[in-house]
Amino acid sequence: MTLASERVRSHRLRLREQGLRPVQIWVPNTRNPEFAAEAARQTRLLAQADRDEHVMHWLDEVNQWPAE
């Protein structure tokens, strides 16, 4: 085993001994042009929503929803 792989194995073992376990997650690729286009689209929708009175009224009502 190489020195680097031994250090990684040892580090992971210490983490497991602390009760931790590895988790892999997948997140959006923010470098993808499609991601930027979708973010821009959603931003435009939000900007439009600020001008829509009924949307703002609904948000105010939802914000006052009693938590149970």
Side-chain angles (χ1 to χ4, degrees), residues 36-52:
E38 178 61 15
R41 184 188 74 81
Q42 291 183 22
T43 300
R44 285 190 303 275
L45 290 174
L46 285 171
Q48 179 64 40
D50 285 344
R51 293 188 293 270
D52 291 341

Side-chain angles (χ1 to χ4, degrees), residues 3 7 20 22 25 32 35 39 44 46-47 50-51 54 59 66-67:
L3 182 59
R7 282 196 319 260
L20 302 174
I25 61 170
N32 185 329
F35 178 88
R44 285 190 303 275
L46 285 171
D50 285 344
R51 293 188 293 270
H54 69 281
L59 287 172

Side-chain angles (χ1 to χ4, degrees), residues 23-29:
V23 176
Q24 180 179 22
I25 61 170
W26 291 81
V27 297
N29 179 1

Side-chain angles (χ1 to χ4, degrees), residues 50-64:
D50 285 344
R51 293 188 293 270
D52 291 341
E53 184 69 29
H54 69 281
V55 173
M56 296 307 292
H57 180 68
W58 178 80
L59 287 172
D60 287 339
E61 288 179 2
V62 172
N63 188 36
Q64 297 170 10

